[in-house]
Amino acid sequence: MLSKKTKYAINALVYIAKNIDEQPISVRRISEEQNISLKFLESILTELKNARVLNSKKGKYGGYSLNGTPEEIHMAKIVRLFDGAIALLPCVTYQYYERCEECIDEETCGIRQVAMEIRNETVKRLKAATLADIIKREKKLKK
Amino acid sequence: MLSKKTKYAINALVYIAKNIDEQPISVRRISEEQNISLKFLESILTELKNARVLNSKKGKYGGYSLNGTPEEIHMAKIVRLFDGAIALLPCVTYQYYERCEECIDEETCGIRQVAMEIRNETVKRLKAATLADIIKREKKLKK
DNA sequence: TATTAATCCTACCAAATAAATAGGATATAA
DNA sequence: TTATATCCTATTTATTTGGTAGGATTAATA
């Protein structure tokens, strides 16, 4: 399951992308429109800024804006940033690799192979799920 | 990520399936062969028994045996039993459905649609990953 | 019938993680 | 100077995870 942090982050990003011509957008506005606690969202957007997904502008009429186009920012990046590895097993990820302590032979582990195939498929889909793609899907669903 | 409980459960089940002609097999034996804490594994096998995945036999020379063939028992069932929903979002599962509190319109949520496609793919693969399938994969990998 | 070796049952516990909350410092536009 | 932002540090609370402890019950066999 995605954590609330990840969900809030994606929702916020989609919101900014939808209102891209009104950037920068304040945390307050997003928190009100998206039903997210102000302070919690603040810490999330700070993380997104530190990860260079967002740019920030301080002071009055400041706020956050996308660092990149809605076609470039995708769910895989956001999920990894907040929830860590996408895979079902720690031995099946490049970015967060760790051996399963109880494992007897990683090379011939059947569970691992299944997990690897699922990871490949999932990562592919999460990478395809860019902000632009999500917005496009929503437009289609509204018809 | 799968919890250790789930991983231990699958490992134990694969172990029993591999030694299917020696059933019933004791918790002690599995815990020693698979590097899993005895007491913890005991509670896991109890849950598997309550879920009718395993049968138990008490007393000397007792232990656990598969309730069903290795072709019938699959990873999806075990993951759901210990970790709950497989999907990335609570609004995308049949068995554990819950609305996302912060969600504005579930019907037209683009993130949800992505999560649904990933769930479908993942569940399909986890259902295909039966004990028999896992063992077959391991034999292939050993060559 | 005593011994051995299993499961079964209840309760507890410690560490980590998730989900916030609090309060103020600093920056900027008008 | 005022209003309104982000930025920064710290604390809190609840839940989940991964495990431990100790003994009761059951069954095979010598």
Side-chain angles (χ1 to χ4, degrees):
Chain A
M1 284 276 196
L2 300 182
S3 67
K4 290 202 167 185
K5 256 191 177 172
T6 298
K7 283 198 283 173
Y8 292 166
I10 298 168
N11 281 327
L13 288 169
V14 170
Y15 182 84
I16 297 173
K18 270 181 185 163
N19 299 280
I20 200 162
D21 46 332
E22 294 168 37
Q23 289 175 331
I25 296 174
S26 72
V27 180
R28 176 172 305 276
R29 178 171 160 196
I30 301 172
S31 93
E32 280 166 3
E33 299 255 350
Q34 298 287 307
N35 304 324
I36 307 172
S37 138
L38 175 71
K39 278 294 190 178
F40 195 32
L41 184 59
E42 207 180 292
S43 70
I44 291 167
L45 296 199
T46 298
E47 269 195 79
L48 286 170
K49 190 210 110 194
N50 291 335
R52 297 170 179 283
V53 175
L54 288 177
N55 292 315
S56 69
K57 194 177 172 228
K58 286 171 122 184
K60 200 169 179 182
Y61 303 116
Y64 290 93
S65 49
L66 298 183
N67 183 20
T69 66
E71 284 78 20
E72 287 166 347
I73 301 168
H74 53 70
M75 279 179 65
K77 170 133 197 182
I78 313 305
V79 172
R80 285 204 176 107
L81 183 62
F82 291 101
D83 287 349
I86 289 168
L88 294 177
L89 296 177
C91 59
V92 155
T93 112
Y94 289 117
Q95 322 212 5
Y96 299 89
Y97 174 82
E98 230 173 290
R99 206 178 150 277
C100 293
E101 320 154 43
E102 75 279 6
C103 184
I104 287 167
D105 182 12
E106 196 174 281
E107 292 303 312
T108 63
C109 178
I111 303 167
R112 183 167 182 257
Q113 206 187 39
V114 173
M116 212 185 256
E117 291 172 8
I118 291 174
R119 180 210 58 185
N120 289 341
E121 191 66 38
T122 303
V123 168
K124 198 181 80 189
R125 288 174 187 272
L126 287 178
K127 278 191 176 166
T130 62
L131 300 181
D133 174 68
I134 292 168
I135 291 170
K136 209 169 97 189
R137 283 171 182 270
E138 299 198 343
K139 275 190 188 147
K140 224 173 201 169
L141 285 167
K142 267 185 188 146
K143 275 180 204 161
Chain B
M1 285 274 198
L2 300 183
S3 67
K4 289 202 166 185
K5 257 191 176 172
T6 297
K7 283 198 282 173
Y8 291 167
I10 298 168
N11 281 326
L13 289 168
V14 169
Y15 182 84
I16 298 174
K18 271 183 184 162
N19 300 280
I20 200 161
D21 46 332
E22 295 168 37
Q23 290 174 329
I25 295 174
S26 71
V27 180
R28 177 173 303 277
R29 178 171 161 195
I30 301 172
S31 92
E32 280 166 2
E33 299 255 352
Q34 298 288 307
N35 305 325
I36 307 173
S37 139
L38 176 70
K39 278 292 190 178
F40 194 33
L41 183 59
E42 208 181 291
S43 71
I44 291 167
L45 296 197
T46 299
E47 268 195 80
L48 285 170
K49 191 211 109 193
N50 292 336
R52 296 168 180 283
V53 175
L54 288 176
N55 292 314
S56 69
K57 194 177 171 229
K58 286 170 121 184
K60 201 170 178 180
Y61 303 116
Y64 291 93
S65 49
L66 297 183
N67 185 19
T69 66
E71 284 78 21
E72 287 166 348
I73 303 169
H74 53 69
M75 278 181 64
K77 170 133 194 184
I78 313 305
V79 172
R80 284 204 176 106
L81 184 61
F82 293 100
D83 286 350
I86 290 168
L88 294 176
L89 296 178
C91 59
V92 153
T93 114
Y94 289 116
Q95 321 211 7
Y96 300 89
Y97 174 84
E98 231 172 289
R99 206 177 149 277
C100 293
E101 320 153 44
E102 75 278 5
C103 182
I104 287 167
D105 182 11
E106 196 174 280
E107 292 305 310
T108 63
C109 178
I111 302 168
R112 183 167 182 258
Q113 206 187 37
V114 172
M116 212 185 255
E117 292 172 7
I118 291 174
R119 180 209 61 186
N120 289 342
E121 191 66 36
T122 303
V123 168
K124 199 181 80 191
R125 289 175 186 269
L126 287 178
K127 278 190 174 164
T130 62
L131 300 182
D133 174 68
I134 291 168
I135 291 169
K136 210 170 96 190
R137 283 170 181 270
E138 299 198 344
K139 276 190 188 145
K140 224 174 203 168
L141 285 166
K142 266 184 191 146
K143 277 180 205 162

